[in-house]
Amino acid sequence: MVTNRDVAQKAGVSLATVSHVVNRTRPVSAETRKKVERAIKTLDYHPSALARSLSTRSTRTIGLMVGSIALPLTAHLYRALENSLGAHGYTLVMRNIDEDPTREAACLEEFMGRRVDGILLFPSGKPLPEHAACAAAGIPLVFLNRRPRGIHGPLIELDDPRACEEATEYLIGLGHRRIALVNRDFHFAPFTSRERGYRRAMARHGAQPQVAYVPGRIDESEPATETVVGQLLASGTRPTAIIAASHGVSIGLLQGIRASGLSCPRDLSVICFDDSPWSRFVDSPLSVMMHPTDAISAAAVETLLAEIAAGPTRRKAGVRRFRAHFVKRASCGPPPFPSRKS
């Protein structure tokens, strides 16, 4: 195996000079650089990535931690982030935590062990000692979707209150007043933020809010949502429209509607958060509040690279917020029966 010592002997220079040429850590004369590069080519020398990381304090690796790998939004963001970071010479390593703080802590420990240059994360919502440990190790964190209380780092997020308020206002404009929100039973953003926007719009029009909460983890949400929606539709105040506050409950919502013998938009209107290929092909195609995936991924990469370049002493903790795009399809229409104004 060819080593940097072999290159140094071939080029007639010191080991330190070879290191400076390979890692570009100090200016080297053009003549000396040519000698080293000629020796590298002749000997077919490939510098060790680990050795380079130790000398430059950079592995050219970024960690990505996602709440659920099952969501279409995750796949879209991963591809956009990988392409963008790859163009800057970085490799992206993704881990899934299923919204579990214990798995999140283990993931952050792994990333620190890998000596990643930075971390993009969809956190579980709970502040952890490992967040502070990453900062102490000089690894910048850029949060997506939410930032745990008391934790430092930039946040890239959707304007969730505005998005849910816009969806509610659209349904009110169609004549609906009995509008329900089916939400995850989590007490952190984006779920609390979306509910806040919904309640704000309902209050503006003197309408009574009706929120149904889906318990459990995201991989359990389908049957849980179907049960919750079935109870909602069997109640004495059956809604004429429903907003699904997360993509994770959308399928269960549609199953609950069908199990109740109803359909949309004939019996009730439906708006969901986040788009997926199947949203366009169900009967009827779903209206959705869609993440601007490309804009969010570009902002995340730009922010993280700026944090890496700035160094630990000059890092910031601002918020960059993006507006959802409302895609109107056939799942919404006027209420099927007269709706009370309050």
Side-chain angles (χ1 to χ4, degrees):
M1 179 179 177
V2 179
T3 68
N4 58 352
R5 185 176 296 277
D6 297 323
V7 174
Q9 291 176 347
K10 181 74 173 176
V13 299
S14 67
L15 283 171
T17 300
V18 173
S19 177
H20 293 320
V21 170
V22 170
N23 298 307
R24 301 182 183 277
T25 49
R26 186 176 297 175
V28 175
S29 70
E31 182 181 352
T32 300
R33 178 175 294 280
K34 286 180 181 178
K35 287 182 181 179
V36 173
E37 289 175 345
R38 193 180 303 120
I40 288 173
K41 185 175 181 180
T42 301
L43 297 172
D44 193 25
Y45 171 62
H46 299 283
S48 161
L50 176 60
R52 185 180 299 181
S53 74
L54 291 173
S55 63
T56 65
R57 299 183 180 274
S58 172
T59 60
R60 307 298 293 180
T61 303
I62 300 297
L64 171 64
M65 188 182 73
V66 300
S68 173
I69 200 170
L71 297 177
L73 176 64
T74 301
H76 295 161
L77 274 172
Y78 175 78
R79 183 166 65 178
L81 290 168
E82 184 181 46
N83 288 341
S84 183
L85 286 166
H88 288 90
Y90 286 90
T91 299
L92 188 63
V93 178
M94 183 171 72
R95 292 291 180 267
N96 174 59
I97 65 167
D98 280 333
E99 301 174 330
D100 183 345
T102 302
R103 292 186 65 174
E104 179 180 0
C107 175
L108 292 172
E109 286 280 0
E110 179 196 348
F111 283 158
M112 282 189 282
R114 280 176 169 267
R115 298 171 56 87
V116 298
D117 292 347
I119 301 174
L120 297 165
L121 64 162
F122 290 82
S124 63
K126 182 179 180 180
L128 301 170
E130 286 76 11
H131 293 131
C134 285
I139 301 174
L141 303 177
V142 173
F143 295 92
L144 299 163
N145 224 28
R146 68 180 71 97
R147 181 173 56 201
R149 187 182 299 275
I151 302 300
H152 185 87
L155 170 64
I156 312 294
E157 66 176 359
L158 192 71
D159 191 342
D160 288 296
R162 181 175 183 173
C164 207
E165 186 173 3
E166 183 179 343
T168 308
E169 286 284 357
Y170 177 72
L171 292 169
I172 289 172
L174 292 175
H176 295 275
R177 290 299 182 273
R178 294 209 295 271
I179 303 169
L181 178 73
V182 178
N183 203 358
R184 300 293 303 282
D185 191 19
F186 292 152
H187 302 291
F188 48 74
F191 312 105
T192 53
S193 305
R194 292 173 184 175
E195 183 174 333
R196 187 165 68 250
Y198 159 79
R199 289 183 179 276
R200 192 160 59 204
M202 294 292 279
R204 185 181 300 119
H205 295 273
Q208 184 66 35
Q210 192 174 7
V211 182
Y213 297 102
V214 178
R217 289 157 43 112
I218 194 164
D219 55 357
E220 303 165 342
S221 62
E222 228 175 271
T225 303
E226 183 176 352
T227 299
V228 167
V229 170
Q231 294 169 347
L232 183 65
L233 296 177
S235 68
T237 55
R238 194 182 95 193
T240 64
I242 297 178
I243 299 171
S246 77
H247 189 279
V249 304
S250 299
I251 295 178
L253 168 61
L254 297 179
Q255 290 171 334
I257 292 171
R258 176 169 292 187
S260 299
L262 305 174
S263 66
C264 67
R266 184 192 69 194
D267 301 304
L268 75 165
S269 294
V270 170
I271 296 177
C272 297
F273 267 80
D274 300 333
D275 201 10
S276 67
W278 61 261
S279 299
R280 289 167 281 173
F281 301 110
V282 296
D283 188 19
S284 300
L286 293 176
S287 296
V288 296
M289 302 302 300
M290 188 168 67
H291 274 74
T293 309
D294 290 342
I296 288 175
S297 62
V301 170
E302 178 187 336
T303 302
L304 184 61
L305 295 183
E307 291 286 288
I308 292 170
T313 60
R314 297 189 302 279
R315 287 175 183 156
K316 302 177 181 179
V319 178
R320 296 183 68 175
R321 193 168 288 120
F322 292 84
R323 186 174 180 178
H325 176 51
F326 186 23
V327 181
K328 299 175 185 178
R329 298 193 181 115
S331 63
C332 296
F337 48 86
S339 188
R340 295 181 302 174
K341 295 294 183 182
S342 62

